[in-house]
Amino acid sequence: MKGAKSKGKGDTKLGVRKKASESKKSKKAAKDPNKPKRPPSAFFVFMEEFRKSYKEKHPGNKSVAIVGKAGGDKWKQMSEAEKAPYQAKAEKRKADYQKNMDAYNKKLAAGDDADEDESDKSKSEVHDDDEDDDGSEEEDDD
């Protein structure tokens, strides 16, 4: 009998936990697929080129971790002068990203204004319908 009671309590606790995890997922806002992706840093710009050259030198290597480790070591050993072209590319991508984000935010703001206008119209239409319904009920009662 003790085993049966403990199973019952465990089920209720699991149910509570499931509900809590479901509510966390539902609170998280959905990502907009039209939003521009963030630009890569100078290191990731460097890694794009480094991966290509590393694969040419080591065609048998299929480990991502080894490539990443080698790239990180090389980046640490590079001087500021050697890193400068990658930092310039990263800055250029960042500027392009800012332009894209400004355009995206303008579109988003314009879309929100249109949605608000439509919602006001629909509210007034629904409100008018409610008044008509109330008036028709009074006529039926007379």
Side-chain angles (χ1 to χ4, degrees):
M1 289 184 42
K2 289 182 182 179
K5 289 182 181 179
S6 64
K7 286 182 182 176
K9 289 180 183 178
D11 292 340
T12 58
K13 288 182 181 179
L14 288 175
V16 172
R17 289 182 186 161
K18 286 180 182 176
K19 290 178 184 176
S21 65
E22 289 172 2
S23 64
K24 288 180 184 178
K25 290 179 183 177
S26 63
K27 288 181 183 178
K28 191 173 182 180
K31 291 185 179 180
D32 186 2
N34 297 327
K35 186 175 181 179
K37 292 178 76 172
R38 292 181 65 194
S41 66
F43 173 70
F44 285 103
V45 173
F46 161 75
M47 284 299 293
E48 289 173 359
E49 293 180 16
F50 180 78
R51 280 188 199 96
K52 292 175 187 174
S53 64
Y54 191 85
K55 286 183 180 182
E56 289 172 3
K57 293 177 185 176
H58 305 90
N61 181 29
K62 294 188 180 185
S63 175
V64 176
I66 293 173
V67 177
K69 184 81 170 170
D73 291 340
K74 185 169 181 181
W75 180 257
K76 288 178 186 176
Q77 293 173 357
M78 291 172 68
S79 67
E80 291 299 318
E82 293 172 324
K83 292 180 182 179
Y86 301 109
Q87 291 171 342
K89 288 179 185 178
E91 288 296 322
K92 183 177 182 247
R93 289 187 182 185
K94 188 174 182 181
D96 292 341
Y97 169 76
Q98 283 298 332
K99 290 177 187 176
N100 292 338
M101 277 303 293
D102 291 341
Y104 171 78
N105 288 332
K106 286 179 183 177
K107 284 183 182 179
L108 202 61
D112 288 344
D113 292 341
D115 291 341
E116 289 177 7
D117 293 340
E118 290 176 11
S119 62
D120 290 341
K121 290 178 183 176
S122 63
K123 285 180 184 177
S124 65
E125 291 172 2
V126 170
H127 185 67
D128 292 341
D129 292 341
D130 290 340
E131 289 177 0
D132 292 340
D133 290 341
D134 293 339
S136 62
E137 289 177 8
E138 290 176 8
E139 291 175 7
D140 291 339
D141 292 339
D142 288 342

